[in-house]
Each structure stands twice: as structure tokens, then as C-alpha cells.
Amino acid sequence: MTVKPMMVMIKLLLELASMSKFEVALFGVTLTDHKKFAFHLEAIKDYRAKIAALDARERKIFRREFAEFWVMEVYKDDINAGRTKLREGGNNFLQTKLNTLKDYADSTIRYLRATGLFTVSPHGQRLMLLTASIEDAKFLLDNYKIGLSSYTHLDFDAYIDTYLGNPSLPLIRKDNPTLQAEDLNRMVAELSKVDATGASAYKQLYKTAKSRLERLQVIGRLENVLGTIQIRNEAKSIRENKTASLADIKGYYNAITSRKSDILDRPLMYEWNTWRAMVLINDAKDVQGNYTTDTDGNPVSTAGGSKPDIQIEYDTFHLIVEVTLSSGKKQFEMEGEPISRHLGLLQQEAIKSGDTRPVFGIFVAEILNETVISHLLTQARYKSQVYKGSIRILPMTRLIFEAFMESTISHPNFSHRVLHNFFESVFSQEAIKLGEYDWVGYIEDKIRNFQMPHEIMVV
């Protein structure tokens, strides 16, 4: 290889704006010679132009045929030399190599995102440069180019000591005081559009910082604030057109769970899409997704093990939402104890702080494991001394959860009080005396009739 892989991807994305995983696999991963950059760039543009001119059925056929052609070109030396024997058997050399390239693309995108310079658009699942980091990316490309470094002529020990093991290399944009100040001013200007006082405070903090580390910390905090603003804007957009948002959320669930899904990090996207669903059910004081995000507000990694996936505050109650793509016995092993603990700890903390609002939970899975249902029903029947009360978590399949969303949106007089009454009813003493399957059936009946006016009560 005669390239710096990250520099190659930066240059491609500066030219193309975004790339799909399929494009990264075919055109990015296989770009191993920096002298062929222009050829690969034109190949991507030509591929896109041809795809755009086709209908859906023709596009699918062309995509498959082009992939075979491209992989054949990449591995033509092996094919001509007869080196097509597959380590794990089978006889479809081209398909096996294509699958391998896709796996490499997954890993490549994961490593690129870890640098903090790249992001993935949640809807299109396309790799992009992070808006806030484009200048950083340009700085690296301008200084280090896409070809091999000037250190590669050194022997191994010297290469490690001089280059790879040198903590002062590579120099990045933030190492330059002038460019660092430019970045600060750009972000302060962005924040001042919505919070002039906050923007002024961050500028003052930077000015009075006593060290390089403190200045970098100020910039980091400012980036987080801007990311939070992006999330708020997204939540606002979701609520502005509920019908369109509902269709988009349901469509994305189908895309995530499809066997042919090309979506990167499906568990993360499942979590993020459920956050969007709960935002859609308006009337909450706060809907907090505990997955981590980048400065563009895009999800980066799932919620940590010590937190619920989503935490919501209403005027009269608290709600946590836990989601999983796991099924069978693995579902109980992975989710049974953690989801109960998350709700229990929140309930415990609320009571200690004098907050008397009840805490409920929703557990969403594609297929509910019967052991999980039994566990949640048992938890709801008994009061825990440790967690200061019953652990009340409602199990729903994803399709029933979608019906739940639709019912709240179509309710003629929906408010958080209607939602509160719904939870109280499905955890009533009469309801939790039912058997597991009857309880789930009772919940589903309640959801299907959720929009009926007789559900409205006063809490």
C-alpha cells in the first residue's frame, strides 16, 4: 500500500460530501495506491451517474453486476494466476471477496468515526466529515497528503521512536494557537445566534484560561453545547409534522430490522430511532437519549451500561425506555437485570430527593422472550425495599410500540395525564394478577383503544 488511509478518505469526502458503505467498500478500501486517486474518484462519479439514471429494479441489477466487475478488476492478478481457492470452502470467489470488502468497510468506518473527524448521517447512513471538524480535516490533508510519509525509509526502531511512537506527532490544527482561536470564534459566533450570553461567557473562559489544556477544555465544552443545540433542533423538527415523522420513524425501523439491512451499527440506530419516537409523543418536559453524540448531534455509541437507553420527565411521572435487537434466551441474559436496575435506581434517587412522581418503564424488542415477560410481571407484583417500590416496566414488541405511537398521536385530547393513566391501568392490581400472556394481551388491547375518549381521566 502506498497511501495513508485516513487522508485518502478525507480527500474523497471533501470531493464527494458523503459515501455509502458500499462505495467505501468498493472505491475506498481498494484505493491502495495514491497515484490512482483520480481514477477512483472518477469511477465513483461515473457509478453514481449511471445509478441515478436507472429505476429501482434496474438499479439493483446494475449494482450487483458492477460490484462483480469491480472486484474482478481488483483481484485480476489472483484470478489470472488461479489463486481463487477459498480458505473456508465454497466456490464463489467474487462474492466472498465482496463480502470481505464490506466487512473491511464496516471496520474502516468504525475507526474513522473514532478519530472525531467523521460522522454517519443517521437517515442515509452515509459517511461524512463532521461539520465542526472540516477545517481540522483540511489541515491534516494539507500537511500530510495522501501518499506515504517521509519516515518510511527508516528502519523499524527508528520509525517507532521518530514517528509512530512520538506523542507530539502528528501536529493537528488545535496545536496552532492562531487556528485554535479561529475555531473558538467560529463556534462562539454559532452559539451567539441562540445564546449571546452563553457565547460571551465561553469567550471569556477561553481568554482567562491559564494553560493550553484549559483552552482545549473550553473548546470541548463549547462543542458539546453546540451538539446539544443540534439535538434540540432535531426534536423540534420531529414535532412540527407528526404525520411525516411517524411515517419516517416506522420506515426506519423496517430498514434497521431488514435482513438485507446495510445500516451501520443497527443497535445504536434502533436506540436513536426510539428516541425520535418518544420525542414525537409530545408533552414531555425532557426526552433524553443516553447514547453519545458527535458535535453535529448524530449518534456515535449506545448508552452505557449504567444508564437507561432513554430517560423522560413528565409533569406527573418519570419514564425510562429500554430497547434491544436481541432475542431468545440471550434477551433475558442481556436485558433482564439491567433494565430493572435502571428503573429501580431512578426510583430510589427520586424518592431520596423528595420527588414523589412515580417511575414507569417501557421495554421494546422485535420479539419478546417469554422469560423476560415473566420477569417483568413478577417485578411489578412485589414492592422492593431496596428500590422503594415495585419495578413497573411494560413489555412491547416493536410493532405494538408503533401502535402505541399512533394511538397517542390520534388521541383527540392527548396529554401526559392520559399517558399517566394508561400506565396506572396496565399496572393495576387487577391487571398484574393476570398470567404473562393474558397481561401482554391486556396491554395490547389498551394500546389499540388508547385513542378512545373514555380513556381520559383526571390524575
Side-chain angles (χ1 to χ4, degrees):
M1 294 179 68
T2 62
V3 293
K4 295 188 187 78
M6 189 173 82
M7 297 301 110
V8 163
M9 292 308 302
I10 287 174
K11 191 169 183 178
L12 282 172
L13 290 170
L14 286 172
E15 293 279 355
L16 300 166
S18 69
M19 293 175 69
S20 68
K21 187 177 83 170
F22 184 77
E23 291 173 341
V24 173
L26 259 60
F27 305 108
V29 172
T30 61
L31 208 174
T32 57
D33 182 349
H34 71 278
K35 294 177 182 178
K36 293 183 178 179
F37 179 86
F39 173 76
H40 277 242
L41 179 62
E42 289 307 310
I44 298 174
K45 291 179 178 178
D46 183 59
Y47 167 79
R48 289 182 175 182
K50 288 176 178 176
I51 278 283
L54 302 174
D55 61 32
R57 190 184 69 83
E58 293 171 328
R59 194 174 297 152
K60 185 177 180 180
I61 295 170
F62 174 77
R63 190 171 183 261
R64 185 183 67 248
E65 291 177 347
F66 182 88
E68 288 181 358
F69 158 76
W70 190 264
V71 173
M72 191 178 295
E73 283 296 304
V74 170
Y75 291 97
K76 64 182 177 183
D77 290 344
D78 290 320
I79 294 171
N80 291 337
R83 295 191 296 267
T84 58
K85 184 178 179 180
L86 299 173
R87 185 176 60 186
E88 297 180 3
N91 54 16
N92 195 335
F93 177 81
L94 295 179
Q95 185 60 50
T96 300
K97 291 300 182 184
L98 177 59
N99 291 341
T100 300
L101 289 175
K102 288 180 179 179
D103 289 341
Y104 284 158
D106 273 330
S107 298
T108 297
I109 292 169
R110 193 176 301 116
Y111 285 128
L112 290 174
R113 292 176 72 192
T115 68
L117 298 176
F118 301 80
T119 189
V120 172
S121 61
H123 279 84
Q125 282 294 289
R126 300 180 69 82
L127 182 70
M128 306 182 299
L129 286 167
L130 196 64
T131 303
S133 299
I134 285 180
E135 294 305 317
D136 297 85
K138 288 179 178 178
F139 177 89
L140 288 171
L141 185 60
D142 289 343
N143 283 273
Y144 299 104
K145 314 304 179 185
I146 66 173
L148 289 178
S149 76
S150 58
Y151 297 90
T152 53
H153 68 283
L154 300 174
D155 63 39
F156 181 76
D157 290 337
Y159 181 73
I160 296 296
D161 293 340
T162 308
Y163 179 62
L164 197 60
N166 187 344
S168 65
L169 292 177
L171 291 172
I172 61 175
R173 182 182 171 85
K174 288 182 175 66
D175 290 325
N176 184 307
T178 302
L179 298 178
Q180 185 186 99
E182 285 181 9
D183 290 343
L184 175 92
N185 290 332
R186 173 178 51 79
M187 288 189 288
V188 164
E190 191 67 27
L191 180 58
S192 65
K193 295 175 183 178
V194 293
D195 184 4
T197 302
S200 178
Y202 276 105
K203 194 166 186 177
Q204 185 61 26
L205 281 172
Y206 183 85
K207 183 178 180 180
T208 57
K210 297 177 181 178
S211 67
R212 174 179 176 274
L213 178 59
E214 286 187 9
R215 287 190 289 273
L216 287 173
Q217 288 173 337
V218 172
I219 287 176
R221 287 166 59 190
L222 187 51
E223 287 174 342
N224 289 336
V225 169
L226 291 174
T228 300
I229 291 171
Q230 294 282 3
I231 293 170
R232 288 175 183 166
N233 290 339
E234 182 179 7
K236 182 181 178 182
S237 176
I238 289 169
R239 288 167 174 160
E240 282 175 349
N241 189 334
K242 289 192 171 187
T243 302
S245 294
L246 176 64
D248 186 57
I249 291 167
K250 290 174 66 176
Y252 200 53
Y253 271 132
N254 289 333
I256 294 168
T257 56
S258 169
R259 288 185 177 182
K260 297 181 180 179
S261 176
D262 230 8
I263 288 176
L264 302 163
D265 205 338
R266 291 167 60 246
L268 173 60
M269 292 302 113
Y270 202 69
E271 204 169 295
W272 171 78
N273 203 45
T274 305
W275 170 81
R276 294 203 300 154
M278 296 312 300
V279 167
L280 187 62
I281 303 172
N282 205 347
D283 204 24
K285 296 177 72 174
D286 183 43
V287 182
Q288 179 182 343
N290 285 325
Y291 51 85
T292 58
T293 63
D294 56 35
T295 51
D296 283 356
N298 296 322
V300 173
S301 60
T302 55
S306 62
K307 295 180 179 180
D309 295 337
I310 302 162
Q311 191 168 325
I312 308 161
E313 181 184 3
Y314 294 91
D315 281 336
T316 61
F317 67 101
H318 295 277
L319 178 65
I320 71 165
V321 182
E322 303 275 5
V323 302
T324 187
L325 284 170
S326 64
S327 58
K329 292 181 180 179
K330 189 177 180 181
Q331 187 180 98
F332 179 72
E333 292 168 3
M334 292 176 62
E335 309 291 345
E337 186 273 333
I339 58 177
S340 300
R341 174 167 41 83
H342 291 159
L343 188 145
L345 289 174
L346 177 61
Q347 185 167 269
Q348 185 186 71
E349 290 168 7
I351 291 171
K352 283 183 179 179
S353 68
D355 187 344
T356 59
R357 289 176 290 181
V359 182
F360 301 104
I362 297 175
F363 175 65
V364 182
E366 286 299 296
I367 301 172
L368 289 169
N369 178 258
E370 58 187 17
T371 309
V372 174
I373 298 171
S374 179
H375 172 71
L376 295 180
L377 182 56
T378 301
Q379 293 273 324
R381 286 172 175 168
Y382 299 102
K383 289 189 176 181
S384 166
Q385 291 182 313
V386 174
Y387 295 137
K388 312 299 182 185
S390 301
I391 305 298
R392 296 182 286 183
I393 302 174
L394 203 60
M396 295 185 193
T397 65
R398 189 255 303 179
L399 292 178
I400 290 298
F401 179 71
E402 288 181 2
F404 172 72
M405 275 195 299
E406 291 176 317
S407 292
T408 60
I409 291 171
S410 61
H411 194 292
N413 297 288
F414 179 76
S415 74
H416 69 276
R417 294 183 180 277
V418 176
L419 194 56
H420 188 167
N421 286 324
F422 164 74
F423 283 112
E424 293 289 359
S425 67
V426 295
F427 287 109
S428 67
Q429 289 300 309
E430 179 184 358
I432 61 176
K433 285 180 181 178
L434 298 170
E436 293 92 334
Y437 301 121
D438 291 336
W439 184 51
V440 169
Y442 178 79
I443 292 166
E444 293 177 0
D445 286 342
K446 279 282 185 180
I447 288 171
R448 292 190 182 97
N449 295 301
F450 195 33
Q451 72 272 25
M452 300 304 291
H454 69 258
E455 287 289 332
I456 303 170
M457 297 162 30
V458 178
V459 176

